[in-house]
mmCIF file of all heavy atoms in Angstrom:
data_model
loop_
_atom_site.group_PDB
_atom_site.id
_atom_site.type_symbol
_atom_site.label_atom_id
_atom_site.label_comp_id
_atom_site.label_asym_id
_atom_site.label_seq_id
_atom_site.Cartn_x
_atom_site.Cartn_y
_atom_site.Cartn_z
ATOM 1 N N LYS A 50 27.632 -41.361 39.701
ATOM 2 C CA LYS A 50 26.421 -42.168 39.505
ATOM 3 C C LYS A 50 26.681 -43.351 38.555
ATOM 4 O O LYS A 50 26.302 -44.493 38.829
ATOM 5 C CB LYS A 50 25.337 -41.247 38.914
ATOM 6 C CG LYS A 50 23.969 -41.928 38.694
ATOM 7 C CD LYS A 50 22.845 -40.951 38.686
ATOM 8 C CE LYS A 50 22.798 -40.040 37.477
ATOM 9 N NZ LYS A 50 22.333 -40.745 36.243
ATOM 10 N N SER A 51 27.376 -43.058 37.446
ATOM 11 C CA SER A 51 27.658 -44.168 36.490
ATOM 12 C C SER A 51 28.493 -45.243 37.108
ATOM 13 O O SER A 51 28.211 -46.466 36.907
ATOM 14 C CB SER A 51 28.420 -43.560 35.296
ATOM 15 O OG SER A 51 27.600 -42.664 34.583
ATOM 16 N N ARG A 55 27.389 -49.321 38.088
ATOM 17 C CA ARG A 55 28.187 -50.454 37.526
ATOM 18 C C ARG A 55 28.822 -51.278 38.590
ATOM 19 O O ARG A 55 29.018 -52.463 38.466
ATOM 20 C CB ARG A 55 29.250 -49.863 36.601
ATOM 21 C CG ARG A 55 28.617 -49.422 35.218
ATOM 22 C CD ARG A 55 29.525 -48.402 34.531
ATOM 23 N NE ARG A 55 29.059 -48.057 33.215
ATOM 24 C CZ ARG A 55 28.147 -47.138 32.942
ATOM 25 N NH1 ARG A 55 27.461 -46.533 33.911
ATOM 26 N NH2 ARG A 55 27.809 -46.901 31.664
ATOM 27 N N THR A 124 19.934 -45.333 33.175
ATOM 28 C CA THR A 124 21.105 -46.236 33.231
ATOM 29 C C THR A 124 20.720 -47.602 33.772
ATOM 30 O O THR A 124 21.101 -48.622 33.232
ATOM 31 C CB THR A 124 22.203 -45.592 34.092
ATOM 32 O OG1 THR A 124 22.490 -44.290 33.654
ATOM 33 C CG2 THR A 124 23.459 -46.408 34.042
ATOM 34 N N ARG A 127 18.561 -49.470 31.006
ATOM 35 C CA ARG A 127 19.176 -49.914 29.789
ATOM 36 C C ARG A 127 20.291 -50.967 30.091
ATOM 37 O O ARG A 127 20.412 -51.934 29.361
ATOM 38 C CB ARG A 127 19.767 -48.736 28.998
ATOM 39 C CG ARG A 127 18.644 -47.782 28.537
ATOM 40 C CD ARG A 127 18.980 -46.947 27.361
ATOM 41 N NE ARG A 127 17.923 -46.066 26.910
ATOM 42 C CZ ARG A 127 17.837 -44.791 27.187
ATOM 43 N NH1 ARG A 127 18.813 -44.171 27.836
ATOM 44 N NH2 ARG A 127 16.841 -44.054 26.728
ATOM 45 N N LEU A 128 21.083 -50.717 31.135
ATOM 46 C CA LEU A 128 22.092 -51.733 31.432
ATOM 47 C C LEU A 128 21.508 -53.030 31.928
ATOM 48 O O LEU A 128 21.946 -54.124 31.530
ATOM 49 C CB LEU A 128 23.116 -51.149 32.477
ATOM 50 C CG LEU A 128 24.286 -50.364 31.891
ATOM 51 C CD1 LEU A 128 23.855 -49.189 31.072
ATOM 52 C CD2 LEU A 128 25.257 -49.950 32.965
ATOM 53 N N ARG A 151 11.001 -42.591 27.798
ATOM 54 C CA ARG A 151 12.333 -42.580 27.145
ATOM 55 C C ARG A 151 12.480 -43.738 26.187
ATOM 56 O O ARG A 151 11.942 -44.799 26.401
ATOM 57 C CB ARG A 151 13.417 -42.505 28.228
ATOM 58 C CG ARG A 151 13.248 -41.157 28.986
ATOM 59 C CD ARG A 151 14.322 -41.032 30.025
ATOM 60 N NE ARG A 151 15.640 -40.916 29.481
ATOM 61 C CZ ARG A 151 16.764 -40.908 30.218
ATOM 62 N NH1 ARG A 151 16.675 -41.021 31.498
ATOM 63 N NH2 ARG A 151 17.905 -40.767 29.618
ATOM 64 N N ARG A 155 16.324 -48.415 21.242
ATOM 65 C CA ARG A 155 17.728 -48.453 20.944
ATOM 66 C C ARG A 155 18.528 -49.569 21.607
ATOM 67 O O ARG A 155 19.628 -49.886 21.139
ATOM 68 C CB ARG A 155 18.337 -47.055 21.354
ATOM 69 C CG ARG A 155 17.971 -46.653 22.760
ATOM 70 C CD ARG A 155 18.641 -45.368 23.220
ATOM 71 N NE ARG A 155 18.244 -44.220 22.433
ATOM 72 C CZ ARG A 155 18.841 -43.013 22.477
ATOM 73 N NH1 ARG A 155 19.876 -42.890 23.300
ATOM 74 N NH2 ARG A 155 18.445 -42.058 21.735
ATOM 75 N N ALA A 194 26.181 -42.026 19.999
ATOM 76 C CA ALA A 194 27.246 -42.283 20.983
ATOM 77 C C ALA A 194 26.535 -42.376 22.327
ATOM 78 O O ALA A 194 26.092 -41.378 22.859
ATOM 79 C CB ALA A 194 28.254 -41.134 21.042
ATOM 80 N N SER A 195 26.374 -43.598 22.846
ATOM 81 C CA SER A 195 25.663 -43.768 24.129
ATOM 82 C C SER A 195 26.348 -44.853 24.942
ATOM 83 O O SER A 195 26.355 -46.041 24.492
ATOM 84 C CB SER A 195 24.216 -44.142 23.824
ATOM 85 O OG SER A 195 23.645 -44.773 24.989
ATOM 86 N N ALA A 196 26.819 -44.481 26.101
ATOM 87 C CA ALA A 196 27.422 -45.509 27.020
ATOM 88 C C ALA A 196 26.380 -46.515 27.505
ATOM 89 O O ALA A 196 26.711 -47.593 27.823
ATOM 90 C CB ALA A 196 28.092 -44.792 28.147
ATOM 91 N N GLN A 197 25.135 -46.033 27.542
ATOM 92 C CA GLN A 197 24.111 -46.967 27.999
ATOM 93 C C GLN A 197 23.888 -48.075 26.987
ATOM 94 O O GLN A 197 23.719 -49.246 27.351
ATOM 95 C CB GLN A 197 22.811 -46.189 28.327
ATOM 96 C CG GLN A 197 23.000 -45.262 29.496
ATOM 97 C CD GLN A 197 21.763 -44.540 29.899
ATOM 98 O OE1 GLN A 197 20.705 -44.696 29.259
ATOM 99 N NE2 GLN A 197 21.833 -43.674 30.938
ATOM 100 N N ILE A 198 23.852 -47.706 25.700
ATOM 101 C CA ILE A 198 23.676 -48.766 24.688
ATOM 102 C C ILE A 198 24.932 -49.688 24.691
ATOM 103 O O ILE A 198 24.805 -50.936 24.718
ATOM 104 C CB ILE A 198 23.527 -48.105 23.259
ATOM 105 C CG1 ILE A 198 22.277 -47.256 23.216
ATOM 106 C CG2 ILE A 198 23.464 -49.198 22.181
ATOM 107 C CD1 ILE A 198 22.086 -46.474 21.899
ATOM 108 N N SER A 200 27.087 -50.294 27.007
ATOM 109 C CA SER A 200 27.243 -51.079 28.211
ATOM 110 C C SER A 200 26.214 -52.164 28.262
ATOM 111 O O SER A 200 26.441 -53.313 28.674
ATOM 112 C CB SER A 200 27.058 -50.249 29.438
ATOM 113 O OG SER A 200 27.981 -49.148 29.394
ATOM 114 N N ARG A 222 31.312 -42.507 27.492
ATOM 115 C CA ARG A 222 32.051 -42.810 28.704
ATOM 116 C C ARG A 222 32.441 -44.299 28.756
ATOM 117 O O ARG A 222 31.605 -45.146 28.283
ATOM 118 C CB ARG A 222 31.256 -42.402 29.921
ATOM 119 C CG ARG A 222 29.942 -43.129 30.118
ATOM 120 C CD ARG A 222 29.101 -42.393 31.166
ATOM 121 N NE ARG A 222 28.697 -41.070 30.781
ATOM 122 C CZ ARG A 222 28.133 -40.147 31.548
ATOM 123 N NH1 ARG A 222 27.836 -40.458 32.801
ATOM 124 N NH2 ARG A 222 27.802 -38.973 31.066
ATOM 125 N N ILE A 342 27.741 -34.674 28.020
ATOM 126 C CA ILE A 342 26.371 -34.851 27.720
ATOM 127 C C ILE A 342 25.404 -34.426 28.832
ATOM 128 O O ILE A 342 24.381 -33.877 28.616
ATOM 129 C CB ILE A 342 26.056 -36.333 27.241
ATOM 130 C CG1 ILE A 342 24.644 -36.453 26.700
ATOM 131 C CG2 ILE A 342 26.349 -37.318 28.324
ATOM 132 C CD1 ILE A 342 24.328 -35.676 25.495
ATOM 133 N N ASP A 343 25.804 -34.727 30.099
ATOM 134 C CA ASP A 343 24.939 -34.367 31.207
ATOM 135 C C ASP A 343 25.068 -32.951 31.711
ATOM 136 O O ASP A 343 24.396 -32.472 32.609
ATOM 137 C CB ASP A 343 25.135 -35.365 32.337
ATOM 138 C CG ASP A 343 24.614 -36.733 32.028
ATOM 139 O OD1 ASP A 343 23.775 -36.868 31.171
ATOM 140 O OD2 ASP A 343 25.092 -37.734 32.664
ATOM 141 N N GLU A 366 20.610 -35.527 21.403
ATOM 142 C CA GLU A 366 20.356 -36.487 22.454
ATOM 143 C C GLU A 366 19.761 -35.805 23.691
ATOM 144 O O GLU A 366 19.099 -36.489 24.486
ATOM 145 C CB GLU A 366 21.659 -37.186 22.853
ATOM 146 C CG GLU A 366 21.979 -38.433 22.058
ATOM 147 C CD GLU A 366 20.999 -39.558 22.205
ATOM 148 O OE1 GLU A 366 20.834 -40.047 23.355
ATOM 149 O OE2 GLU A 366 20.265 -39.870 21.270
ATOM 150 N N LYS A 370 16.558 -36.974 27.344
ATOM 151 C CA LYS A 370 17.096 -37.220 28.741
ATOM 152 C C LYS A 370 15.904 -37.201 29.686
ATOM 153 O O LYS A 370 14.768 -37.398 29.290
ATOM 154 C CB LYS A 370 18.122 -36.151 29.068
ATOM 155 C CG LYS A 370 19.390 -36.268 28.235
ATOM 156 C CD LYS A 370 20.157 -37.567 28.539
ATOM 157 C CE LYS A 370 21.301 -37.804 27.637
ATOM 158 N NZ LYS A 370 21.911 -39.140 27.850
ATOM 159 N N GLU A 371 16.159 -36.985 30.994
ATOM 160 C CA GLU A 371 15.084 -37.056 32.004
ATOM 161 C C GLU A 371 13.975 -36.109 31.618
ATOM 162 O O GLU A 371 12.807 -36.345 31.999
ATOM 163 C CB GLU A 371 15.668 -36.767 33.427
ATOM 164 C CG GLU A 371 16.531 -37.880 33.984
ATOM 165 C CD GLU A 371 17.971 -37.926 33.500
ATOM 166 O OE1 GLU A 371 18.265 -37.525 32.336
ATOM 167 O OE2 GLU A 371 18.789 -38.396 34.257
ATOM 168 N N ARG A 415 18.796 -32.260 36.921
ATOM 169 C CA ARG A 415 19.922 -31.398 36.462
ATOM 170 C C ARG A 415 19.380 -30.039 36.058
ATOM 171 O O ARG A 415 20.131 -29.049 36.189
ATOM 172 C CB ARG A 415 20.712 -32.036 35.387
ATOM 173 C CG ARG A 415 21.401 -33.377 35.797
ATOM 174 C CD ARG A 415 22.544 -33.770 34.908
ATOM 175 N NE ARG A 415 22.844 -35.192 35.024
ATOM 176 C CZ ARG A 415 23.500 -35.745 36.049
ATOM 177 N NH1 ARG A 415 23.996 -34.976 36.970
ATOM 178 N NH2 ARG A 415 23.749 -37.036 36.095
HETATM 179 C C1 S3P B 520 25.212 -42.800 31.426
HETATM 180 C C2 S3P B 520 25.278 -42.511 30.070
HETATM 181 C C3 S3P B 520 24.685 -41.262 29.469
HETATM 182 C C4 S3P B 520 24.360 -40.247 30.549
HETATM 183 C C5 S3P B 520 23.702 -40.873 31.763
HETATM 184 C C6 S3P B 520 24.597 -41.930 32.405
HETATM 185 C C7 S3P B 520 25.841 -44.034 31.903
HETATM 186 O O1 S3P B 520 23.494 -41.674 28.878
HETATM 187 O O2 S3P B 520 23.517 -39.233 30.036
HETATM 188 O O3 S3P B 520 23.412 -39.873 32.733
HETATM 189 O O4 S3P B 520 26.043 -44.216 33.085
HETATM 190 O O5 S3P B 520 26.134 -44.925 31.031
HETATM 191 P P1 S3P B 520 23.493 -42.076 27.241
HETATM 192 O O6 S3P B 520 24.166 -43.381 27.138
HETATM 193 O O7 S3P B 520 22.007 -42.191 26.924
HETATM 194 O O8 S3P B 520 24.140 -40.929 26.510
#
Side-chain angles (χ1 to χ4, degrees):
K50 182 156 73 71
S51 294
R55 287 158 172 81
T124 307
R127 296 204 181 103
L128 272 59
R151 296 181 66 187
R155 52 177 59 193
S195 160
Q197 294 182 359
I198 299 176
S200 305
R222 64 191 65 190
I342 188 65
D343 291 337
E366 273 295 297
K370 293 295 175 188
E371 286 83 330
R415 299 200 199 280

